[in-house]
Amino acid sequence: MINTIDRKEIEQFSAISNKWWDKSGPFSALHKMSRARIKFILKNSRRVSSKNNSEVTPLKGLKCLDIGCGGGILSEPLCRLGAKVTGIDASDMAIKSAILHSQKSRLEIDFKCMDTATLIKSKNLNLNNQFDIVIASEVIEHVNNRDLFLSDISKLSKPGGLVVITTINKSILGVLLGKILAEEVLNILPKGTHDPKKFISPNQLIEEAAQHKIILDDKTGFIPTFKIHNLINKEFGEFKLSRNIQVNYGLAGINIK
């Protein structure tokens, strides 16, 4: 069966899967980006959520798929906001970490060790079991076949469902900050985490997604803040939403299939 998995990438993440919830460890940037990612998701979730949902659980009643969920850093806040969350990842070690932490947090999240192609096959998709929201956050820059990956996202998303993708821009700043600074200078990420050849620009991603009936019409940047203690400790500060999309960015839109 053809899939999008890059085994080398999976092995790299599996090797550090016991550190998913170490907020000062190799996944610290994802933890610090989490609040901004959730803010962007919530902004766009209004397209598919009920107007009657409360501010505490604005995602109540929505089936949400977190692709490449890792240890569940994004899945857990989505669950707390009321969504019925399924998290998938090709790393068995990451899924074990996600299950263990969600149980400790007393959250009911359906974590599965599988890729998108396997999930599609297992669900025998129809309108009743497709997802209201499909999220691929910091994942698309790690897959082998981007066209197939976007096709899978389209199949897993309901007609009129929300799709949210976040990644690193294929720009000079994207490579300098997202690769060289993060991995080679500050050592915030393990060396070899990213391959700049897999980075993609927002415009190209919008065009490629549109070929699969996913219209990504909202975009934002994710910019880290730096305070003196962050620089001393060689770490990012918290991320905030920005118009600057030159490094990390997010796209969101509707599946019109």
Side-chain angles (χ1 to χ4, degrees), residues 16-159:
I16 52 176
S17 283
N18 62 329
K19 298 182 179 179
W20 273 103
W21 288 94
D22 178 0
K23 294 186 178 181
S24 60
F27 300 107
S28 61
L30 291 181
H31 283 281
K32 291 178 178 180
M33 194 187 294
S34 184
R35 188 175 300 177
R37 291 189 292 174
I38 289 294
K39 187 175 181 180
F40 183 59
I41 292 167
L42 285 178
K43 173 192 171 188
N44 281 280
S45 71
R46 297 167 188 163
R47 310 191 203 195
V48 294
S49 63
S50 169
K51 295 180 180 179
N52 297 322
N53 284 358
S54 70
E55 292 184 6
V56 178
T57 55
L59 302 181
K60 185 177 180 180
L62 296 177
K63 291 167 51 178
C64 179
L65 175 64
D66 183 9
I67 300 174
C69 63
I73 294 173
L74 195 58
S75 296
E76 289 201 6
L78 290 169
C79 180
R80 289 190 177 95
L81 290 167
K84 183 178 180 181
V85 181
T86 297
I88 64 170
D89 199 287
S91 168
D92 181 61
M93 296 298 292
I95 289 297
K96 287 179 179 177
S97 176
I99 292 172
L100 180 61
H101 196 274
S102 66
Q103 288 175 342
K104 288 181 179 179
S105 302
R106 297 183 179 181
L107 296 172
E108 293 187 11
I109 302 173
D110 186 15
F111 287 115
K112 302 175 184 289
C113 181
M114 59 176 59
D115 64 355
T116 50
T118 306
L119 180 60
I120 289 169
K121 185 177 180 180
S122 68
K123 288 180 74 67
N124 189 21
L125 291 173
N126 56 57
L127 289 177
N128 293 323
N129 61 13
Q130 291 171 308
F131 294 91
D132 301 290
I133 303 176
V134 176
I135 301 166
S137 186
E138 311 310 307
V139 175
I140 203 165
E141 70 271 24
H142 297 291
V143 303
N144 261 340
N145 188 325
R146 196 165 57 233
D147 183 67
L148 179 58
F149 185 67
L150 290 168
S151 174
D152 286 353
I153 288 177
S154 181
K155 292 173 183 175
L156 289 162
S157 170
K158 286 183 177 180

Side-chain angles (χ1 to χ4, degrees), residues 143-198:
V143 303
N144 261 340
N145 188 325
R146 196 165 57 233
D147 183 67
L148 179 58
F149 185 67
L150 290 168
S151 174
D152 286 353
I153 288 177
S154 181
K155 292 173 183 175
L156 289 162
S157 170
K158 286 183 177 180
L162 176 67
V163 174
V164 180
I165 301 174
T166 75
T167 188
I168 301 175
N169 198 339
K170 191 171 187 176
S171 64
I172 293 175
L173 280 178
V175 175
L176 285 177
L177 299 182
K179 172 66 178 180
I180 297 173
L181 179 66
E183 295 183 28
E184 307 294 337
V185 179
L186 297 181
N187 295 318
I188 294 171
L189 299 174
K191 289 181 174 62
T193 297
H194 292 112
D195 178 358
K197 293 178 182 178
K198 292 184 177 181

